[in-house]
Amino acid sequence: MRLLTPLKTLSRLLTPTAKIIDGKKISADIQNGIKEEINGWVAAGHKRPALRAILVGDDPASCTYVNKKMIASREVGIDSDTVRLPSTISQEDLVKKIEELNNDNNIDGILIQLPVPDHINEREICNAVHVDKDVDGFHVTNIGKLVANQDTFIPATSLAVIELIRIIGIDTFGKRAVVCGRSKNVGLPIFQMLHADYRNELPGLEATAIMCHRNTKPEDLVMYCQSADIIITATGVPGLIKPHMVKEGACIIDVGLTRITTPEGKSKLVGDADYEGCLARAGYITPAPGGVGPVTVAMLMKNTFKACKNFDRQRSNQK
Ligand code: BQF
């Protein structure tokens, strides 16, 4: 028996056991579904959904993300374009540009690629987007609706996390879920959806949710993670989630994406979890990249089509 236990441990360490969640494949399947729906929608004589992204400056990561959104739009049949503005643009001129798009009846969805330059007030910019065109769900009214369990545009990253949990088939009712990271656009909406009551206009996942953040004591983070059935991490701290913090069979959803330089001097993107190590402990794990990211883009497509259908309903109610 003395020999068996370390051998078991050793074999667990050497043998990856987690099921790897293929975000690219899941995203492609979702987008194919949306594409079919939009085809039917347009064939039935409705207006094709239209999305505009506003990109301020030329941050390489932001450019990459906007491009991914444009490619996805083209694939699903959403008319899309990027409004590129100089990083020196004033707050006032940026608001004017947003209002132009707000007043354009052909446009259903507007997003401002974040982050914006330091001299721009991000909160004001998010609130400048028409509530019904706010496909990112960052307008203060839409955040309020989310917290009040009302139907709204749920931020795409949180929708992606919820959708992945549903597709994997993880039961959340009364289960322990730990969210690492408390950003307003990612950690907070995920936390909100996880703990909310399912008997609502916006059904929640009924988990016992715990929110950890930069001031959570390291030993508390370990304790909460060890107790968790689901760990959702969105901190941008590579290696934050280590194998000893993961309950055997737990589900890890890794939202982190950080560009690092490897010891060999190569640049690459990594998530928050010690991926190789956690493979041997977790039951399910999303790789980063290739996990939550692609599904996030698919959820933006879903939100844009939703905005389009909402406007269509508004127009027919006015008739
Ligand atoms: C993939 C984002 C931080 C800050 C601002 C596919 C995306 C990313 C990765 C993507 C992200 C992250 C987006 C992969 C949008 C997700 O293959 O793994 C797609 O486009 N994302 C963003 O718009 O702004 C961010 C992360």
Side-chain angles (χ1 to χ4, degrees):
M1 284 309 281
R2 276 241 172 97
L3 200 64
L4 204 66
T5 311
L7 273 178
K8 260 192 191 164
T9 312
L10 189 66
S11 81
R12 243 196 336 258
L13 284 172
L14 295 174
T15 327
T17 55
K19 187 163 190 310
I20 296 164
I21 307 305
D22 186 347
K24 277 199 172 161
K25 166 83 169 62
I26 291 170
S27 169
D29 289 348
I30 295 171
Q31 285 183 191
N32 277 330
I34 298 172
K35 177 185 181 165
E36 271 180 35
E37 278 185 54
I38 292 178
N39 271 341
W41 174 259
V42 173
H46 298 285
K47 189 188 87 69
R48 184 174 292 284
L51 173 69
R52 292 296 177 268
I54 298 180
L55 177 59
V56 184
D58 52 7
D59 173 70
S62 293
C63 290
T64 306
Y65 296 145
V66 166
N67 282 340
K68 286 182 193 285
K69 294 169 192 180
M70 294 299 116
I71 292 167
S73 299
R74 199 180 318 131
E75 280 171 3
V76 302
I78 291 175
D79 160 34
S80 74
D81 202 0
T82 303
V83 178
R84 290 166 196 272
L85 300 169
S87 62
T88 52
I89 192 170
S90 68
Q91 176 90 16
E92 197 190 349
D93 287 349
L94 179 52
V95 170
K96 265 191 204 146
K97 193 69 222 177
I98 295 168
E99 278 167 358
E100 251 173 59
L101 296 172
N102 283 344
N103 296 329
D104 184 340
N105 286 333
N106 181 48
I107 306 302
D108 303 292
I110 303 169
L111 72 88
I112 326 293
Q113 183 62 43
L114 299 182
V116 283
D118 287 342
H119 70 277
I120 302 286
N121 180 330
E122 184 179 299
R123 181 40 44 219
E124 243 177 56
I125 291 304
C126 291
N127 290 348
V129 176
H130 190 296
V131 178
D132 298 330
K133 298 191 179 190
D134 175 35
V135 288
D136 264 343
F138 295 163
H139 190 291
V140 70
T141 301
N142 286 326
I143 299 174
K145 283 184 171 183
L146 176 65
V147 174
N149 308 308
Q150 292 176 6
D151 185 45
T152 179
F153 294 109
I154 301 169
T157 309
S158 2
L159 257 190
V161 170
I162 302 308
E163 188 66 9
L164 282 167
I165 289 174
R166 196 187 60 76
I167 289 170
I168 299 167
I170 301 284
D171 182 22
T172 53
F173 199 99
K175 295 291 195 284
R176 296 180 190 150
V178 168
V179 180
C180 306
R182 60 178 167 189
S183 69
K184 294 282 172 271
N185 299 344
V186 181
L188 186 72
I190 293 170
F191 175 78
Q192 172 61 34
M193 290 303 296
L194 279 170
H195 81 258
D197 194 319
Y198 79 101
R199 298 165 300 177
N200 280 313
E201 187 180 311
L202 186 65
L205 274 66
E206 299 276 3
T208 300
I210 292 176
M211 173 76 97
C212 296
H213 52 77
R214 67 175 74 249
N215 292 314
T216 299
K217 291 192 188 109
E219 63 268 32
D220 287 350
L221 178 67
V222 171
M223 175 191 70
Y224 287 127
C225 284
Q226 281 175 343
S227 80
D229 303 296
I230 305 166
I231 297 172
I232 293 135
T233 181
T235 68
V237 180
L240 180 73
I241 306 300
K242 297 180 186 67
H244 74 277
M245 299 161 68
V246 180
K247 182 164 93 174
E248 220 174 301
C251 172
I252 303 176
I253 311 277
D254 194 344
V255 188
L257 266 188
T258 310
R259 188 160 289 285
I260 62 157
T261 309
T262 63
E264 296 82 45
K266 283 185 190 143
S267 168
K268 72 164 184 174
L269 285 170
V270 296
D272 292 350
D274 168 355
Y275 182 73
E276 300 301 331
C278 288
L279 273 178
R281 300 275 311 164
Y284 301 90
I285 190 165
T286 64
V292 178
V295 184
T296 299
V297 175
M299 293 299 110
L300 173 68
M301 301 300 111
K302 201 170 168 179
N303 276 349
T304 304
F305 187 31
K306 176 180 175 152
C308 175
K309 288 184 283 191
N310 288 347
F311 278 118
D312 188 82
R313 206 173 316 117
Q314 283 180 22
R315 278 191 292 267
S316 45
N317 287 345
Q318 279 162 11
K319 273 179 203 158

